[in-house]
Amino acid sequence: MRALLANPRGFCAGVERAIEIVERALESHGAPIYVHHEVVHNKFVVNSLKEKGAIFVEEINDVPLGKVVIFSAHGVSEAVRQQANKLGAIVYDATCPLVTKVHKEVAHKQKQKYKVILIGHKGHPEVEGTLGQSVAGANVELVETLADVDKLNLDNKRLAYTTQTTLSIDDTQQIVNALQVKFPDIKAPQKEDICYATQNRQNAVKTLMQDADVLLVLGSNNSSNSNRLREIAEKMQKNAYLIDDVGEIQQSWLIGVDTIGITAGASAPEILVQEVVNYLRAHGTNEIIEMNGVEENTHFAIPKPLRQIPK
Ligand code: SF4
């Protein structure tokens, strides 16, 4: 058996920045510090930060008065920001700058009196945060499927759309096409909202799965971009498994497999991939091949007050 490693895979610039913010805030302020929602959707990362003294809360009101609070990479609504201020919190914002870009787009379009249609997954924290950029709470409408587009009954002259950053490129294009057929004047975002990391990892899996029989995706269940990677392989009629770590691999998945593909979602660290590689070597894989791929050079600066603090 041989294994092909997707390239690129794993950590994106937004995730690296978010983790660095939590680590430096811990170093600067000492434990405990509070993190609103899982800073990134990965069990391994969250557990490591818990061990260092981060406390993860789902509700901002669960943070005691005057404490350090970090907003997760997925971003937060205006209501959460305001509530953190009321609590006298020292806030560090780990929202990925590419999510902030979407928030700004939504706010800008609202000022221009557009109704914004957000393509995204209901209940995902990024979507909650983006919906929560609506000043009046009524000018952003969520669509998740083609059926949702069908049901839209809008007579607004000024319509615009935006998307969650971690969607399937192909599924989203279908929804955008349907929106454009239904509302020919709908405005597109100035620049693609699905982020570079999501696009690169999806394209890498498409390439990889031309040669692989099975795909292992390192990533947690609640990671949107990891789930989209699994779905790509499934759409290519291949078996694909989303696993948190090597311990979840089942021997039966590898029976009769000649080539296994491996990738990792944008919030999964490389150490988890290497543990899988070691496992496969120990179970009959004699060839490990790093695929060629797009080189990523994106880097996001951390907030100024934390820059002098060592990790
Ligand atoms: S997946 Fe994209 S939007 Fe999300 S944190 Fe990474 S770079 Fe930012």
Side-chain angles (χ1 to χ4, degrees):
M1 187 166 65
R2 64 178 188 149
L4 307 181
L5 300 179
N7 198 358
R9 62 177 180 271
F11 278 4
C12 61
V15 163
E16 279 178 351
R17 175 177 177 272
I19 296 170
E20 194 175 340
I21 288 173
V22 179
E23 287 176 339
R24 289 191 190 223
L26 277 164
E27 194 60 39
S28 171
H29 297 273
I33 59 162
Y34 290 79
V35 184
H36 181 262
H37 194 72
E38 291 188 351
V39 68
V40 299
H41 283 159
N42 186 268
K43 219 189 232 178
F44 179 90
V45 171
V46 167
N47 287 341
S48 316
L49 294 173
K50 273 184 189 167
E51 279 168 20
K52 293 178 182 170
I55 297 175
F56 292 88
V57 295
E58 285 308 308
E59 300 298 333
I60 193 71
N61 284 331
D62 290 339
V63 177
L65 287 176
K67 296 294 181 187
V68 175
V69 178
I70 295 171
F71 296 147
S72 80
H74 316 96
V76 293
S77 65
E78 275 309 302
V80 169
R81 271 180 206 284
Q82 285 169 16
Q83 191 54 24
N85 284 340
K86 279 191 197 155
L87 293 169
I90 301 163
V91 174
Y92 295 109
D93 190 353
T95 304
C96 176
L98 299 181
V99 174
T100 302
K101 171 183 109 35
V102 176
H103 288 183
K104 284 185 177 158
E105 257 168 40
V106 169
H108 181 64
K109 283 285 180 305
Q110 285 184 339
K111 272 191 198 136
Q112 295 180 317
K113 308 284 181 225
Y114 277 89
K115 171 120 186 158
V116 179
I117 296 172
L118 170 63
I119 305 170
H121 296 296
K122 196 173 177 193
H124 188 280
E126 182 187 324
V127 164
E128 298 296 312
T130 305
L131 287 172
Q133 303 307 308
S134 165
V135 184
N139 288 327
V140 186
E141 182 123 4
L142 178 65
V143 298
E144 203 171 357
T145 60
L146 287 170
D148 291 341
V149 175
D150 246 9
K151 280 186 245 155
L152 283 176
N153 187 10
L154 305 170
D155 51 11
N156 303 55
K157 294 269 181 295
R158 290 164 83 77
L159 280 179
Y161 73 83
T162 185
T163 81
Q164 191 180 332
T165 55
T166 51
L167 299 179
S168 149
I169 302 168
D170 299 336
D171 294 353
T172 305
Q173 191 54 53
Q174 284 184 23
I175 294 178
V176 168
N177 292 347
L179 283 171
Q180 287 172 332
V181 167
K182 191 160 180 172
F183 309 109
D185 295 330
I186 194 165
K187 264 207 171 268
Q190 272 193 342
K191 192 167 178 278
E192 179 88 76
D193 288 327
I194 296 180
C195 76
Y196 79 97
T198 298
Q199 296 194 28
N200 289 346
R201 279 152 193 68
Q202 289 183 15
N203 289 335
V205 165
K206 281 180 193 167
T207 307
L208 179 84
M209 293 314 291
Q210 285 169 11
D211 293 323
D213 313 308
V214 170
L215 180 68
L216 296 181
V217 182
L218 272 307
S220 291
N221 263 332
N222 57 349
S223 162
S224 172
N225 79 86
S226 303
N227 276 293
R228 304 299 77 83
L229 297 176
R230 176 183 49 77
E231 285 169 6
I232 286 174
E234 287 171 349
K235 280 183 187 155
M236 294 169 81
Q237 313 297 324
K238 310 278 174 93
N239 287 332
Y241 305 97
L242 180 61
I243 53 171
D244 262 306
D245 58 37
V246 65
E248 293 183 4
I249 296 177
Q250 293 179 23
Q251 275 287 318
S252 58
W253 298 347
L254 308 180
I255 293 171
V257 170
D258 178 53
T259 304
I260 184 161
I262 303 169
T263 188
S267 45
E270 178 64 14
I271 185 174
L272 300 177
V273 173
Q274 291 310 317
E275 284 173 3
V276 168
V277 167
N278 291 340
Y279 171 94
L280 292 175
R281 279 192 208 280
H283 289 79
T285 302
N286 42 24
E287 212 183 345
I288 309 283
I289 301 169
E290 271 283 352
M291 302 289 283
N292 291 325
V294 176
E295 199 178 319
E296 294 182 338
N297 298 311
T298 305
H299 175 77
F300 298 129
I302 61 168
K304 258 195 191 151
L306 293 177
R307 285 185 203 159
Q308 306 309 320
I309 312 294
K311 270 198 280 181

